[in-house]
């Protein structure tokens, strides 16, 4: 069962939703868009608009065979500069007045700390939670540029000042929230377990959510004649796929640093196919990251890794989507695989913005799940958040989180401390068994989701997560990117691993008698036992 909209959740048993009639109409909408080219002077002062036409961001009719960008421009679809955002030092003292325009090429504060994108919350609070809920819901499934994207449907909370014509989007996001009914009941003793398939996206991973924002801003910077020639990243696979795809769509050169022989062929072929300039380096991800930071400090190449806080503005929209898909009811737990650790903070930021702006009254508890072979956050958590130490990341099937020195460690710790969060880990055998178990119930997940499912199992076994707790596991990439690991598992070709759930094909002679014998044996093993 897929939950692509709140209405599909009605098939889920025992859900109690807020009555639609109890939602008060939102206040008059700000001058975010104008749907017609006629009188615009009254747009900002309308007092008799209903919730539907107040929140509907751009209900325009497109001409047959038209270009949606041109149609938007022709219908005078414009944004308001009522809302704004800027870079500030991450978690800085409120008295700190250091800030930067998003049009500046800057990645760290004067003291060398991380930056964060801070929105003008006072301006956003001018409109209540009911308004924002109605606005975001009105854009789902539309083709109006750029609101058909799950990211840009929240444009006012992402990059409010960018011109819509500068946005580079594949209408990413709006990903499936799947009720993992059989897996939850059979293996977790749960009736309310969900999987957010962020890998069902343009390039097969959640990285698209952040990359559409970053590349759109680079597109804007180039038009402003900023010194940017191309965009570069270090990658364990998915970042490079997303970067290269969006840069290719915008006609912007992309440069990718990959650790040699440490990512799947499916991940490697994506940036190659998209025309990126790929450097395969004899180091690990942390080594690639160090090199790209040095290179971007010397050359006019824009840094696209999650050190760049623009990425997190897109990734946070997945949290808002989860709330939308639950009809704005808050789940109890959200479990996120963690490597470079920007995503756990992005989810926290998305949930927290919804709470602060009145869309919901609480946020879920977050769990960050790490592979035991690359677990610096887990070790830090177990030590009571004392004396963080990076680690040498060992090889893991969850290759996208094979990171020993995470850039966003401070962001992750901040998020987890502020939501009473938890960190768990998964061994290689645990994560591969969890992936096989999930696949056997109809999913086809990546090893990183196996890490998150292992964390769920451990927290269920310890009683931390209850059997009735509504829990969302974030699946970060599509299983098709990791077919070799699945082949190795089901072929029982992984050294020192039992592969206890392997399901290899059965070799049978091509004659009727042999086939019948094998089938009878199989069917008898599946027959109900009374």
């Amino acid at each position: 069962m897929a939950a692509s909209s709140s209405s599909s959740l009605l098939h889920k048993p025992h859900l109690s939703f807020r009555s639609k009639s109890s939602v008060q109409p939102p206040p008059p909408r700000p001058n975010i868009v104008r749907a017609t080219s006629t009188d615009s002077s009254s747009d900002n002062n309308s007092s008799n608009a209903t919730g539907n036409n107040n929140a509907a961001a751009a209900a325009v009719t497109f001409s047959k065979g038209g270009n949606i960008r041109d149609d938007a421009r022709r219908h005078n679809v414009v944004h308001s500069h009522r809302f704004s955002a800027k870079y500030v030092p991450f978690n800085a003292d409120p008295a700190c007045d250091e800030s930067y325009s998003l049009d500046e090429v800057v990645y760290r504060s004067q003291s060398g700390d991380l930056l964060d994108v801070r929105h003008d919350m006072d301006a956003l609070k001018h409109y209540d939670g009911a308004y924002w809920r109605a606005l975001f819901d009105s854009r789902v499934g539309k083709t109006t540029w750029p609101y058909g994207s799950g990211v840009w449907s929240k444009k006012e909370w992402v990059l409010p000042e960018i011109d819509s014509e500068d946005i580079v989007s594949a209408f990413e996001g709006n990903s499936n929230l799947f009720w993992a009914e059989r897996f939850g009941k059979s293996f977790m003793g749960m009736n309310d377990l969900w999987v957010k398939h962020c890998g069902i996206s343009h390039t097969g991973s959640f990285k698209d959510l952040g990359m559409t924002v970053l590349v759109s801003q680079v597109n804007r910077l180039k038009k402003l004649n900023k010194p940017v020639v191309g965009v570069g990243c270090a990658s364990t696979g998915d970042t490079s796929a997303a970067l290269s795809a969006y840069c290719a769509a915008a006609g912007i050169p992309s440069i990718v640093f990959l650790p040699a022989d440490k990512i799947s062929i499916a991940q490697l072929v994506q940036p190659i196919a998209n025309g990126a300039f790929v450097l395969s380096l004899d180091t690990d991800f942390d080594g690639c990251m160090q090199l790209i930071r040095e290179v971007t400090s010397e050359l006019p190449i824009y840094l696209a890794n999650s050190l760049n806080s623009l990425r997190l503005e897109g990734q946070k929209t997945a949290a808002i989507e989860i709330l939308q898909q639950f009809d704005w009811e808050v789940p109890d737990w959200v479990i996120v695989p963690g490597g470079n650790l920007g995503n756990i903070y992005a989810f926290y930021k998305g949930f927290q913005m919804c709470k602060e702006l009145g869309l919901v009254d609480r946020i879920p508890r977050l769990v960050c799940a790490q592979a035991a072979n690359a677990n610096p956050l887990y070790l830090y958590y177990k030590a009571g958040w004392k004396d963080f130490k990076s680690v040498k990341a060992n090889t893991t099937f969850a290759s996208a989180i094979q990171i020993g020195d995470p850039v966003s460690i401070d962001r992750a710790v901040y998020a987890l401390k502020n939501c009473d969060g938890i960190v768990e880990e998964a061994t290689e055998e645990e994560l591969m068994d969890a992936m096989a178990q999930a696949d056997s119930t109809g999913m086809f997940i990546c090893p990183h989701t196996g890490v998150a499912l292992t964390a769920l199992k451990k927290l269920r076994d310890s009683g931390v997560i209850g059997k009735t707790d509504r829990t969302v596991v974030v699946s970060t990439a599509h299983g098709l990117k990791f077919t070799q690991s699945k082949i190795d598992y089901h072929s029982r070709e992984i050294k020192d691993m039992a592969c206890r759930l392997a399901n290899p094909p059965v070799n049978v002679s091509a004659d009727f008698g042999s086939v019948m014998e094998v089938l009878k044996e199989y069917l008898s093993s599946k027959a109900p036992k009374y």
Side-chain angles (χ1 to χ4, degrees):
M1 182 183 119
S4 58
S5 69
S6 60
S7 61
S8 65
L9 297 179
L10 296 176
H11 297 289
K12 163 79 173 68
H14 310 303
L15 295 186
S16 175
F17 291 139
R18 180 183 64 252
S19 169
K20 294 291 185 182
S21 62
S22 67
V23 179
Q24 296 301 311
R29 66 180 173 89
N31 189 23
I32 301 166
V33 294
R34 290 194 297 273
T36 67
S37 57
T38 57
D39 180 21
S40 63
S41 61
S42 63
D43 187 74
N44 210 30
N45 299 304
S46 172
S47 59
N48 59 355
T50 66
N52 286 336
N53 61 30
N54 269 334
V60 299
T61 301
F62 295 129
S63 57
K64 186 176 180 180
N67 176 295
I68 60 175
R69 289 181 189 265
D70 292 341
D71 278 323
R73 190 180 303 110
R74 196 160 44 244
H75 285 82
N76 247 358
V77 179
V78 298
H79 70 278
S80 167
H81 288 281
R82 175 187 298 275
F83 308 117
S84 62
K86 59 187 177 182
Y87 293 123
V88 297
F90 174 73
N91 199 25
D93 187 286
C96 176
D97 60 0
E98 181 183 353
S99 66
Y100 306 90
S101 164
L102 298 188
D103 292 335
E104 293 187 58
V105 180
V106 56
Y107 311 115
R108 286 193 180 271
S109 68
Q110 293 173 359
S111 62
D113 292 331
L114 297 170
L115 294 174
D116 197 20
V117 175
R118 177 183 293 169
H119 291 263
D120 183 346
M121 298 300 286
D122 289 337
L124 293 172
K125 287 177 181 177
H126 187 70
Y127 302 91
D128 66 13
Y131 166 74
W132 291 116
R133 287 194 301 264
L135 177 66
F136 295 159
D137 286 347
S138 74
R139 292 169 171 172
V140 175
K142 302 298 190 296
T143 57
T144 309
W145 186 265
Y147 302 115
S149 160
V151 173
W152 296 108
S153 64
K154 288 87 177 171
K155 180 176 182 287
E156 296 80 8
W157 291 22
V158 178
L159 283 188
E161 295 174 277
I162 192 170
D163 290 332
S164 291
E165 65 183 69
D166 291 339
I167 289 173
V168 183
S169 173
F171 277 16
E172 52 290 306
N174 294 319
S175 57
N176 180 20
L177 182 62
F178 174 83
W179 180 31
E181 180 184 14
R182 185 177 165 218
F183 182 86
K185 291 178 179 177
S186 299
F187 301 114
M188 299 293 167
M190 303 177 73
N191 190 49
D192 212 357
L193 175 62
W194 302 78
V195 176
K196 176 67 169 168
H197 280 292
C198 291
I200 302 178
S201 192
H202 180 55
T203 71
S205 91
F206 78 95
K207 299 291 178 72
D208 294 346
L209 303 179
M211 209 58 75
T212 180
V213 177
L214 184 139
V215 175
S216 294
Q217 180 64 11
V218 171
N219 199 37
R220 170 182 167 88
L221 294 177
K222 288 177 69 67
K223 291 183 179 181
L224 293 173
N225 295 317
K226 296 288 183 176
V228 176
V229 174
V231 190
C233 75
S235 179
T236 50
D238 289 333
T239 300
S240 63
L243 174 65
S244 60
Y246 284 88
C247 281
I252 298 172
S254 59
I255 300 96
V256 172
F257 288 15
L258 294 175
D261 304 320
K262 290 183 174 65
I263 68 170
S264 74
I265 294 298
Q267 290 172 303
L268 174 62
V269 77
Q270 287 183 286
I272 291 173
N274 288 138
F277 186 64
V278 180
L279 284 72
S280 181
L281 304 171
D282 58 348
T283 183
D284 58 11
F285 171 81
D286 295 313
C288 290
M289 187 68 219
Q290 180 60 37
L291 283 168
I292 194 70
R293 288 170 63 177
E294 293 174 1
V295 166
T296 53
S297 68
E298 297 292 332
L299 296 175
I301 299 171
Y302 196 79
L303 180 64
N305 285 97
S306 57
L307 173 64
N308 190 318
S309 52
L310 283 176
R311 288 260 309 276
L312 308 186
E313 292 305 292
Q315 288 163 211
K316 77 184 182 189
T317 61
I320 307 170
E321 277 186 18
I322 288 172
L323 296 175
Q324 281 184 286
Q325 289 167 311
F326 283 135
D327 200 23
W328 301 102
E329 289 194 350
V330 182
D332 298 300
W333 297 89
V334 175
I335 305 175
V336 185
N340 223 11
L341 302 180
N343 211 26
I344 191 72
Y345 175 68
F347 271 85
Y348 169 79
K349 189 172 186 181
F351 287 127
Q352 182 59 31
M353 280 191 75
C354 286
K355 181 177 181 291
E356 187 172 351
L357 291 168
L359 285 75
V360 295
D361 59 4
R362 65 183 180 90
I363 68 173
R365 291 182 69 183
L366 298 178
V367 178
C368 188
Q370 291 207 293
N373 281 1
N375 63 350
L377 180 68
Y378 174 77
L379 296 176
Y380 192 28
Y381 170 77
K382 297 298 284 186
W385 302 124
K386 296 176 182 177
D387 191 24
F388 172 76
K389 295 178 182 177
S390 61
V391 301
K392 175 66 175 177
N394 294 314
T395 301
T396 171
F397 283 101
S399 56
I401 57 175
Q402 186 178 318
I403 299 169
D405 190 13
V407 167
S408 292
I409 179 67
D410 292 339
R411 291 169 173 151
V413 172
Y414 177 88
L416 291 163
K417 284 184 175 180
N418 281 280
C419 70
D420 194 19
I422 294 173
V423 187
E424 259 298 352
E425 67 171 356
T427 67
E428 293 303 289
E429 189 152 12
E430 287 172 336
L431 72 90
M432 291 298 285
D433 282 349
M435 179 175 72
Q437 212 169 43
D439 288 352
S440 75
T441 65
M443 290 186 262
F444 196 71
I445 62 171
C446 63
H448 317 84
T449 311
V451 174
L453 291 173
T454 299
L456 170 62
K457 183 179 187 305
K458 291 181 175 181
L459 294 171
R460 279 288 295 121
D461 289 346
S462 65
V464 174
I465 293 181
K467 65 180 182 179
T468 61
D469 289 353
R470 175 172 289 178
T471 303
V472 177
V473 170
V474 176
S475 181
T476 55
H478 201 291
L480 285 172
K481 288 190 171 190
F482 301 92
T483 51
Q484 189 59 53
S485 67
K486 295 175 184 287
I487 291 169
D488 292 345
Y489 182 91
H490 289 288
S491 301
R492 292 193 173 95
E493 294 182 355
I494 302 175
K495 185 179 179 181
D496 300 325
M497 189 177 292
C499 303
R500 62 185 182 87
L501 299 173
N503 183 33
V506 178
N507 295 319
V508 188
S509 297
D511 63 83
F512 179 77
S514 297
V515 170
M516 286 294 290
E517 183 179 349
V518 168
L519 286 176
K520 286 179 180 178
E521 182 180 355
Y522 170 75
L523 292 174
S524 66
S525 71
K526 298 297 181 181
K529 295 178 174 58
Y530 299 101

